[in-house]
């Protein structure tokens, strides 16, 4: 079963771990620290649902880089299509971009392609262009109905401010 065919309850356990590990290993922006949520748990170790949170809080970027940047880390798999930029995440990150602009820091999206073993660091303006193109093609849905922007890897690579590779073997 492909990632996009899995129900969210199964996809949730795979979300971002590999991509975040590559981000931490490659550290293309230098020193970083965790900033956003990573599957928040309550005091008993059970998942806390964040869907009632405002988008700004629910979709905090994953990392802060000490060069003055917030970074959201996402991944795409063997179909070479970025599917992890969902409409609500995009809207939340747009709010973070406004905060970044007011505070003279950058917002980046780091995309890891596990199949190609390549990563791309996107500036926010390039993310906007990629999402606009995906919207023109039409928002797609996972089998459980969750919407996502379908962005081909070649488009992502073509916009990258920095493209690198990482051997995971």
């Amino acid at each position: 079963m492909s990632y996009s065919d899995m129900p969210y309850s199964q996809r949730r356990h795979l979300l971002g771990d590999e991509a975040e590990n590559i981000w931490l290993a490659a550290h293309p922006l230098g020193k970083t620290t965790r900033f956003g949520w990573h599957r928040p748990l309550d005091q008993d170790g059970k998942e806390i649902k964040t869907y009632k949170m405002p988008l700004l809080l629910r979709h905090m970027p994953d990392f802060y880089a000490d060069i003055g940047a917030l970074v959201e880390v996402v991944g795409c798999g063997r179909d070479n299509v970025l599917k992890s930029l969902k409409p609500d995440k995009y809207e939340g990150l747009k709010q973070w971009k406004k905060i970044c602009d007011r505070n003279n820091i950058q917002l980046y999206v780091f995309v890891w392609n596990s199949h190609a073993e390549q990563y791309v660091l996107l500036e926010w303006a390039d993310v906007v262009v990629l999402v606009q193109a995906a919207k023109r093609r039409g928002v797609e849905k996972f089998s459980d109905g969750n919407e996502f922007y379908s962005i081909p890897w070649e488009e992502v690579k073509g916009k990258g401010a920095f493209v690198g590779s990482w051997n995971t073997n």
Side-chain angles (χ1 to χ4, degrees), residues 139-167:
V139 176
E140 296 191 30
K141 292 184 180 183
F142 289 106
S143 60
D144 56 12
N146 285 322
E147 295 181 332
F148 65 93
Y149 298 122
S150 179
I151 306 172
W153 175 246
E154 289 305 315
E155 289 181 21
V156 173
K157 261 182 30 177
K159 290 289 182 193
F162 180 81
V163 179
S165 62
W166 197 267
N167 187 335

Side-chain angles (χ1 to χ4, degrees), residues 113-124:
N113 182 324
S114 59
H115 181 71
E117 292 190 327
Q118 294 178 317
Y119 60 84
V120 172
L121 188 62
L122 296 168
E123 295 177 353
W124 183 253

Side-chain angles (χ1 to χ4, degrees), residues 89-145:
K89 179 186 281 193
Y90 178 72
E91 292 302 317
L93 290 173
K94 278 175 40 179
Q95 293 178 34
W96 279 104
K97 175 60 176 153
K98 290 177 185 175
I99 292 169
C100 288
D101 288 347
R102 286 194 305 265
N103 292 281
N104 200 29
I105 64 173
Q106 298 298 313
L107 176 61
Y108 291 99
V109 174
F110 176 90
V111 185
W112 167 244
N113 182 324
S114 59
H115 181 71
E117 292 190 327
Q118 294 178 317
Y119 60 84
V120 172
L121 188 62
L122 296 168
E123 295 177 353
W124 183 253
D126 294 322
V127 173
V128 171
V129 170
L130 290 167
V131 167
Q132 288 171 345
K135 284 180 178 180
R136 285 192 295 276
R137 290 188 294 267
V139 176
E140 296 191 30
K141 292 184 180 183
F142 289 106
S143 60
D144 56 12

Side-chain angles (χ1 to χ4, degrees), residues 1-109:
M1 176 183 299
S2 72
Y3 180 80
S4 61
D5 291 329
M6 290 179 188
Y8 179 74
S9 61
Q10 288 179 333
R11 288 195 316 267
R12 178 170 176 35
H13 299 291
L14 303 171
L15 295 175
D17 287 350
E18 183 177 352
E20 289 181 3
N21 288 337
I22 297 298
W23 163 260
L24 289 168
H27 51 79
L29 294 179
K31 295 179 184 177
T32 62
T33 189
R34 169 142 309 269
F35 179 76
W37 301 106
H38 185 72
R39 295 188 199 103
L41 303 174
D42 70 11
Q43 64 276 13
D44 297 320
K46 294 185 177 136
E47 176 186 351
I48 289 183
K49 304 220 183 295
T50 60
Y51 68 91
K52 291 183 180 180
M53 282 185 182
L55 291 178
L56 177 71
L57 296 178
R58 189 176 348 148
H59 295 294
M60 291 189 293
D62 296 309
F63 293 94
Y64 173 76
D66 74 351
I67 65 161
L70 292 176
V71 182
E72 176 64 18
V73 176
V74 297
C76 67
R78 67 184 92 123
D79 62 358
N80 288 309
V81 177
L82 175 61
K83 298 176 182 173
S84 48
L85 268 180
K86 298 169 190 74
D88 64 330
K89 179 186 281 193
Y90 178 72
E91 292 302 317
L93 290 173
K94 278 175 40 179
Q95 293 178 34
W96 279 104
K97 175 60 176 153
K98 290 177 185 175
I99 292 169
C100 288
D101 288 347
R102 286 194 305 265
N103 292 281
N104 200 29
I105 64 173
Q106 298 298 313
L107 176 61
Y108 291 99
V109 174

